[in-house]
Amino acid sequence: WRGVRGAIYEYVRTVNRRVYQAAGIWPQAKEIRTGGNDVKPLSKLNKRNALILLGVIILGLAILAPINSVTREIVIKREEEEKMRVIGQILPQELYDNRLLRDSVKVPPDQDLLRTRNRTVAYRARLQGKPSAVIFEMTAPDGYSGNIFLIIAVKEDGSVSGVRVLNHNETPGLGDYIEIVKSNWIKIFGGASLKNTSDARWEVRKDSGRFDFVARATLSARAIVHAVHRALKYYEAHKEELFRET
């Protein structure tokens, strides 16, 4: 009888193995002995527990879904507000009447001019349906302490509307004057273009160029001057595709 009982037990255990694996999170998903020497699987109990678990999961998702949706909308709204705050510093409102963040184009990585490693997004400004400016990101890889990440607004005629530093690791108290909150130095690019400034003049004054710099922090200024120069060359070469309707 022990042999027969053992065979029955092994059969029941084998038959229910898939159920236990599928409901592995349930500690109760195992065989139990009921009444004397009979061995019975918890098939009905397992199904009931699985249904209870499913109901709990569905209820949880139903409660969390609206919360996640609201949270996501808040985050997106704040991100857009921050983007518009920065854009507002480099592009006057009178230059566009479209919804900037809804009029964009993807810019592929560009190691030559923009020095970007990843795909970025350019925002197109339009006034009465006509292109007026474009805002895009660029990198100055040769700052004193490495990459300086920037955003630039270029008017339709190829002149700089404004430039801002988004992120950097320049020396506090020296190279950080490139930040608008530390000084107005970054505003020197306003109105500069390839037409009114020759290639040779896209340098700091120390290198016989047009642009001022702060003593003991030449590398930071030089890196940004070169980056802005390259960005204008990128705009000149890709103007048509930047404004192309998608």
Side-chain angles (χ1 to χ4, degrees):
W1 174 246
R2 288 183 178 179
V4 174
R5 186 176 61 183
I8 293 174
Y9 178 85
E10 180 61 23
Y11 170 77
V12 170
R13 188 180 66 84
T14 302
V15 168
N16 285 278
R17 183 176 295 126
R18 180 177 299 176
V19 174
Y20 304 148
Q21 290 174 349
I25 60 173
W26 289 96
Q28 304 95 316
K30 56 185 177 181
E31 302 114 355
I32 61 172
R33 296 175 184 272
T34 59
N37 296 323
D38 294 332
V39 179
K40 295 182 180 180
L42 281 178
S43 56
K44 292 183 178 180
L45 183 57
N46 286 339
K47 292 179 180 178
R48 186 186 65 173
N49 288 341
L51 290 174
I52 292 174
L53 174 61
L54 180 61
V56 171
I57 292 174
I58 293 174
L59 179 61
L61 291 175
I63 294 174
L64 292 176
I67 297 176
N68 289 337
S69 178
V70 171
T71 302
R72 183 168 58 253
E73 290 177 0
I74 292 174
V75 171
I76 292 174
K77 183 178 180 180
R78 287 181 178 175
E79 288 178 349
E80 291 183 345
E81 289 175 349
E82 177 60 21
K83 285 182 180 179
M84 289 306 300
R85 186 185 70 81
V86 175
I87 290 174
Q89 295 179 22
I90 60 177
L91 187 68
Q93 176 67 56
E94 59 265 24
L95 287 183
Y96 65 95
D97 55 15
N98 63 320
R99 298 181 65 185
L100 277 178
L101 301 185
R102 299 293 182 271
D103 192 346
S104 63
V105 61
K106 294 178 180 178
V107 179
D110 183 87
Q111 291 289 340
D112 183 31
L113 296 174
L114 299 182
R115 305 291 172 89
T116 51
R117 296 182 178 181
N118 302 307
R119 186 172 61 181
T120 56
V121 176
Y123 299 102
R124 288 93 63 93
R126 303 178 192 274
L127 188 61
Q128 297 181 353
K130 297 181 179 180
S132 60
V134 63
I135 301 101
F136 54 91
E137 297 174 51
M138 57 186 177
T139 303
D142 44 359
Y144 181 78
S145 300
N147 290 335
I148 300 173
F149 299 96
L150 306 131
I151 186 169
I152 183 172
V154 182
K155 295 180 182 178
E156 191 277 335
D157 64 3
S159 62
V160 175
S161 174
V163 180
R164 289 293 183 273
V165 173
L166 296 176
N167 194 10
H168 71 91
N169 290 308
E170 301 303 276
T171 306
L174 286 177
D176 61 355
Y177 71 90
I178 60 178
E179 298 178 32
I180 188 63
V181 295
K182 299 295 177 65
S183 80
N184 287 325
W185 176 84
I186 198 72
K187 293 183 178 181
I188 63 175
F189 298 103
S193 70
L194 299 180
K195 294 178 181 179
N196 62 27
T197 307
S198 65
D199 288 347
R201 295 282 289 165
W202 279 94
E203 300 286 351
V204 294
R205 290 191 183 279
K206 183 178 181 179
D207 301 329
S208 302
R210 165 184 170 176
F211 302 95
D212 288 326
F213 66 99
V214 172
R216 297 188 301 163
T218 311
L219 291 179
S220 303
R222 183 182 291 134
I224 294 178
V225 169
H226 292 169
V228 173
H229 187 204
R230 290 193 303 268
L232 291 181
K233 287 187 174 182
Y234 181 89
Y235 175 78
E236 184 179 56
H238 300 274
K239 178 180 177 179
E240 183 178 340
E241 54 196 87
L242 284 171
F243 283 113
R244 183 179 299 150
E245 296 287 350
T246 56

